[in-house]
Amino acid sequence: MKEDVKVCFYPYEKDVVVKRGENLLRAALEAGVHINASCGGEGHCGKCRVLIKSGEAECRECKKLTPQEIEVGYRQACRTTILSDLEVFIPPESQLDKSALERKKGTQSSGRHISSQILEKLVSGARFNPALWKHFLEIEPPSTQDNTSDLSRLLLLLKRQHNIENVSVDFLVLKKLSQILRQAEWKVTVTLVQTRVESQLGEYQLRGSRRPKLINVEPGNTVDTHYSVVLDIGTTTLWGQLIDLTNGATLAESSEYNPQVSYGDDVITRIVYSQKKGGLKKLQELVVTAINRIINDLLKKSGKDRRFISHLTAAGNTVMTHILLGLNPKYIRESPYTPVANFIPPVRAIRLGVEVEDFVYLYTFPSVASYVGGDIVSGILGSGVYQRKDLTLYIDIGTNGEIVLGNADWLLTASCSAGPAFEGGGVKFGMRATDGAIEGFDIHPTTFEPMILTIGMVKPKGICGSGIISIIAELLEAGVISPNGKFNVELNIPRIRKGSDGFEYVLAWKEETQIEEDITITEADIDNVMRAKAAMFAGCHSLLEKANLKVSDLSQIVIAGAFGDYIDLEKAIIIGLLPELPLEKFLFVGNGSLLGAKLISLSNEMLDDGERIARKMTNVELSEDRSFMEKYIAALFLPHTNAELFSKTIQRMKAFKNASRAGTGGKK
Ligand code: FES
């Protein structure tokens, strides 16, 4: 665990506590300190020069500084690693204006960004105990005195050496068993899985006892090479991780846009397309192609062999799960909205077209209802909400926004279509949270120059979800846009201009980007984000209303979403995406769905818990709720038409504006 260090920024006299090894520009952003930075942290614009007054900070490729400057303590903040407590002076050319200090005073920095890594500690009872495991066996060959069958010899040894009995056997194992035993001179590794006894009729029920099933036998000792792929099948984005089943380590992570987006942005249009001739097959092939690309990437990044992937787990909303499995989603869309099944038995992955060995099964998370899927069940599992006594609101901000309210005793859930804006969709330069995506943004309050930080600290390519939230909040606070989302053209600055989609703000000029064109945020983008945040906000308030509760009754709000490494909670409140509550009440858990999928890969107990959560949730249908529509329309404003709901935020924004004016003698 890295130790905490304190960085104090002068002349602002603002400090922030970060982990040793943190990047200095990121620490400044965390502290709410503006440093000019227009290349995303790649190191080539040279605008982020700072002077280290005391402490240790390592400069990596500060190419824009002379050896003499480095000698006296200058560093490029974006290329500097914090090694100890620091005192950092920001020279005038990097801050431009002292009013940035005033504007930022009073902002809380601690607790704004919460790493998703702490999430695993939220769940109790997650014992490392995967449902799949391997054993190496040295079997006695048959003889004239003992000509017991090959399988009996193997099972007998399993019982004797590992006390495993009552094993069912996959037929594929029998097909290859004799040959492998002899080729491998009776030294083999077996793979077993704890599986339900499949004896029920009708809808597959995953209740009841489990028993071990022998699913693979391979030559030699391969117990140390045993992997699982966990997947989050989102409407807009797919995420995957390669997990080492011997120790629980995450070996690699990868993501892809869901190629089905070409056939519709949301689940409804996908269902419509699936009903066309060959539509379902087409959509299924597309998602499987993306899964195969993710698996290839995971194997490339980790240097592991495909043969040793033993298991796949996927969490997705009900429609995505149906399409992945080739199940007809038609009746999900038609009243009374029924899925084919909520609990689906594991499926042989190769039958879906997933490029893994033939013995590998795909387990999909159970769903609750047509529009409340396995991804939300997975998120509730991963965040431990179902174990807590206190009242929690869980919000998964994605194309299909999902909300859960409850505690260890009860769970209410609802879904609202937010659209893909927070995943980069419907935003002109939107992109996934990968290298080159702008994820952090700050604007100078009087010059309106940007400070941008990209994932991977490279030249910007586009904007990811957390970046979009930051950008809109900053533009609003600085008065660059109005509460109705329109640009204040009277500012008369070169960064605000009329583009092909109406007015826009230039975040990075062509020469500062990787894409050889200016990266902008447009009024149309802002409008899409406003719709998305209004849907999420109205959904939360509607669910609270159904339970006869208020925002102030909440002990904690858990935020999930594949935004990137973090979301700035304060900025999410400023745009009215999240309710105005003390920041300590919020917890950002990153991609909760992926984490839940990982947990069940690593723990049999968690697998049972996931199934219990799905049974416990009660779904609330919002699509036909008039009060939801009213709340939605009222929320189409920044932060909201009802100023009382965001009184502190509005007050603070006014204070910022006054301070900015005071710092420049009244800019506007
Ligand atoms: S050189 Fe540091 S942000 Fe450009």
Side-chain angles (χ1 to χ4, degrees):
M1 186 80 176
K2 287 183 183 163
E3 74 204 70
D4 286 341
V5 290
K6 189 163 130 185
V7 184
C8 189
F9 292 95
Y10 295 95
Y12 301 161
E13 290 181 24
K14 260 193 93 69
D15 50 52
V16 63
V17 175
V18 295
K19 293 282 170 217
R20 184 176 184 274
E22 177 60 290
N23 174 277
L24 187 54
L25 190 62
R26 197 176 286 280
L29 200 70
E30 172 84 16
V33 168
H34 184 96
I35 298 176
N36 294 329
S38 59
C39 71
E42 206 213 15
H44 80 103
C45 75
K47 291 183 181 170
C48 61
R49 284 158 52 100
V50 295
L51 183 63
I52 307 295
K53 304 286 280 181
S54 73
E56 234 187 302
E58 187 183 39
C59 191
R60 190 169 44 90
E61 294 177 7
C62 286
K63 288 183 191 149
K64 292 285 174 181
L65 298 175
T66 62
Q68 293 77 10
E69 286 174 319
I70 292 176
E71 181 66 31
V72 296
Y74 277 101
R75 299 284 184 269
Q76 281 173 250
C78 69
R79 311 308 294 172
T80 298
T81 304
I82 302 165
L83 298 179
S84 71
D85 287 351
L86 286 185
E87 287 186 308
V88 181
F89 180 75
I90 304 179
E93 67 272 20
S94 300
Q95 51 168 296
L96 290 180
D97 194 300
K98 274 176 41 173
S99 59
L101 157 68
E102 297 306 322
R103 176 174 165 264
K104 294 296 176 187
K105 265 185 184 163
T107 55
Q108 300 169 60
S109 58
S110 64
R112 293 197 308 169
H113 307 146
I114 302 162
S115 164
S116 58
Q117 285 159 9
I118 67 166
L119 182 59
E120 282 161 70
K121 293 181 197 137
L122 292 176
V123 186
S124 57
R127 194 164 58 92
F128 181 66
N129 174 30
L132 257 87
W133 70 103
K134 283 183 168 185
H135 285 302
F136 175 59
L137 300 173
E138 290 190 63
I139 302 167
E140 189 71 29
S143 64
T144 45
Q145 289 77 35
D146 175 9
N147 65 348
T148 316
S149 76
D150 292 348
L151 180 65
S152 298
R153 310 180 86 76
L154 186 153
L155 295 179
L156 198 64
L157 194 62
L158 260 182
K159 186 177 174 196
R160 263 199 222 130
Q161 278 189 357
H162 301 286
N163 202 22
I164 297 171
E165 52 186 337
N166 197 19
V167 178
S168 68
V169 181
D170 193 302
F171 185 65
L172 286 182
V173 172
L174 293 184
K175 295 258 290 181
K176 61 184 178 185
L177 181 63
S178 295
Q179 201 182 0
I180 287 182
L181 285 175
R182 284 162 183 84
Q183 272 174 0
E185 297 175 341
W186 302 86
K187 296 181 182 64
V188 292
T189 300
V190 291
T191 306
L192 294 127
V193 61
Q194 282 288 2
T195 184
R196 299 285 189 196
V197 182
E198 298 173 24
S199 59
Q200 289 85 357
L201 293 172
E203 182 174 320
Y204 190 87
Q205 296 292 318
L206 291 170
R207 293 176 204 261
S209 60
R210 294 176 192 275
R211 64 187 277 203
K213 183 173 182 178
L214 176 62
I215 57 166
N216 194 33
V217 56
E218 55 195 329
N221 187 346
T222 67
V223 289
D224 289 337
T225 45
H226 192 205
Y227 311 119
S228 169
V229 173
V230 298
L231 296 159
D232 168 36
I233 313 290
T235 312
T236 305
T237 318
L238 272 64
W239 292 83
Q241 285 182 343
L242 185 69
I243 308 296
D244 190 331
L245 287 174
T246 66
N247 56 19
T250 303
L251 301 172
E253 181 166 301
S254 180
S255 65
E256 283 272 333
Y257 266 133
N258 188 336
Q260 294 171 350
V261 287
S262 315
Y263 297 87
D265 272 349
D266 54 36
V267 290
I268 300 294
T269 43
R270 306 275 172 90
I271 296 174
V272 171
Y273 186 79
S274 75
Q275 298 313 300
K276 295 192 172 151
K277 192 163 182 279
L280 178 58
K281 189 161 179 285
K282 176 81 193 165
L283 292 178
Q284 200 246 1
E285 282 170 2
L286 285 171
V287 71
V288 169
T289 306
I291 290 173
N292 283 332
R293 276 204 298 267
I294 284 180
I295 293 175
N296 290 342
D297 191 42
L298 292 173
L299 294 172
K300 196 169 149 205
K301 282 176 176 162
S302 63
K304 303 298 180 193
D305 193 320
R306 186 183 306 271
R307 282 181 302 141
F308 301 119
I309 296 175
S310 305
H311 190 233
L312 300 177
T313 304
N317 63 51
T318 313
V319 177
M320 289 302 105
T321 303
H322 273 56
I323 293 174
L324 168 62
L325 299 175
L327 301 175
N328 190 351
K330 182 175 184 211
Y331 300 102
I332 291 179
R333 187 175 161 244
E334 293 177 10
S335 180
Y337 315 113
T338 48
V340 174
N342 286 329
F343 290 76
I344 298 169
V347 181
R348 214 178 273 281
I350 201 168
R351 289 182 63 177
L352 305 174
V354 182
E355 290 162 1
V356 285
E357 295 292 308
D358 57 6
F359 70 91
V360 177
Y361 279 84
L362 168 77
Y363 173 88
T364 49
F365 257 89
S367 315
V368 179
S370 282
Y371 294 110
V372 181
D375 50 351
I376 197 81
V377 175
S378 180
I380 292 298
L381 175 80
S383 59
V385 169
Y386 71 106
Q387 296 176 328
R388 288 187 218 142
K389 281 264 161 281
D390 299 335
L391 185 68
T392 302
L393 182 69
Y394 176 96
I395 309 174
D396 188 338
I397 303 170
T399 306
N400 197 42
E402 284 158 332
I403 309 154
V404 180
L405 177 69
N407 55 26
D409 300 322
W410 57 274
L411 294 166
L412 265 189
T413 175
S415 152
C416 49
S417 184
F422 294 122
E423 293 179 69
V427 171
K428 191 170 181 187
F429 289 94
M431 64 177 283
R432 282 177 294 138
T434 53
D435 279 2
I438 298 173
E439 62 168 352
F441 177 82
D442 188 278
I443 189 165
H444 194 277
T446 54
T447 63
F448 306 106
E449 281 300 297
M451 165 183 180
I452 61 175
L453 197 66
T454 60
I455 297 176
M457 309 283 276
V458 292
K459 278 187 185 177
K461 275 199 285 202
I463 317 161
C464 69
S466 59
I468 289 162
I469 293 169
S470 291
I471 292 164
I472 296 180
E474 284 284 320
L475 293 177
L476 179 70
E477 273 195 290
V480 175
I481 57 171
S482 311
N484 63 3
K486 303 291 176 221
F487 280 101
N488 179 2
V489 289
E490 283 167 23
L491 288 177
N492 204 13
I493 51 168
R495 284 190 186 263
I496 299 178
R497 67 183 186 193
K498 186 136 176 93
S500 53
D501 295 330
F503 284 102
E504 60 189 20
Y505 173 89
V506 181
L507 297 160
W509 300 108
K510 181 178 166 182
E511 51 283 4
E512 297 162 347
T513 73
Q514 284 189 51
I515 56 171
E516 294 185 356
E517 58 178 314
D518 298 345
I519 294 177
T520 61
I521 180 155
T522 69
E523 271 180 6
D525 297 339
I526 296 169
D527 197 49
N528 279 335
V529 172
M530 280 167 71
R531 286 174 203 278
K533 74 99 186 172
M536 296 302 311
F537 190 84
C540 294
H541 277 256
S542 297
L543 210 53
L544 281 163
E545 197 174 85
K546 299 273 177 222
N548 225 356
L549 293 165
K550 297 189 294 300
V551 168
S552 53
D553 294 321
L554 295 168
S555 295
Q556 187 161 60
I557 302 191
V558 177
I559 316 292
F563 294 101
D565 283 345
Y566 65 81
I567 174 178
D568 191 318
L569 296 172
E570 209 171 52
K571 289 178 180 170
I573 294 172
I574 289 171
I575 69 163
L577 169 63
L578 300 176
E580 188 179 80
L581 280 174
L583 295 182
E584 319 72 84
K585 286 203 176 189
F586 291 93
L587 179 63
F588 172 58
V589 297
N591 189 334
S593 163
L594 195 63
L595 190 90
K598 180 178 167 183
L599 278 180
I600 64 158
S601 276
L602 299 178
S603 168
N604 236 333
E605 289 80 12
M606 290 294 108
L607 190 58
D608 288 339
D609 279 5
E611 292 163 5
R612 257 180 239 125
I613 291 167
R615 288 177 213 290
K616 196 193 259 186
M617 282 183 176
T618 307
N619 182 43
V620 174
E621 203 56 65
L622 292 180
S623 55
E624 286 157 16
D625 186 323
R626 247 189 68 202
S627 119
F628 169 76
M629 264 329 279
E630 283 164 14
K631 289 182 176 63
Y632 169 75
I633 289 165
L636 285 172
F637 207 66
L638 298 170
H640 197 277
T641 48
N642 181 355
E644 275 176 31
L645 292 174
F646 289 90
S647 54
K648 289 194 189 105
T649 305
I650 291 169
Q651 228 173 32
R652 224 187 52 229
M653 276 163 49
K654 277 185 190 154
F656 287 164
K657 252 176 221 164
N658 291 339
S660 303
R661 283 180 189 143
T664 59
K667 173 102 184 165
K668 275 171 69 182

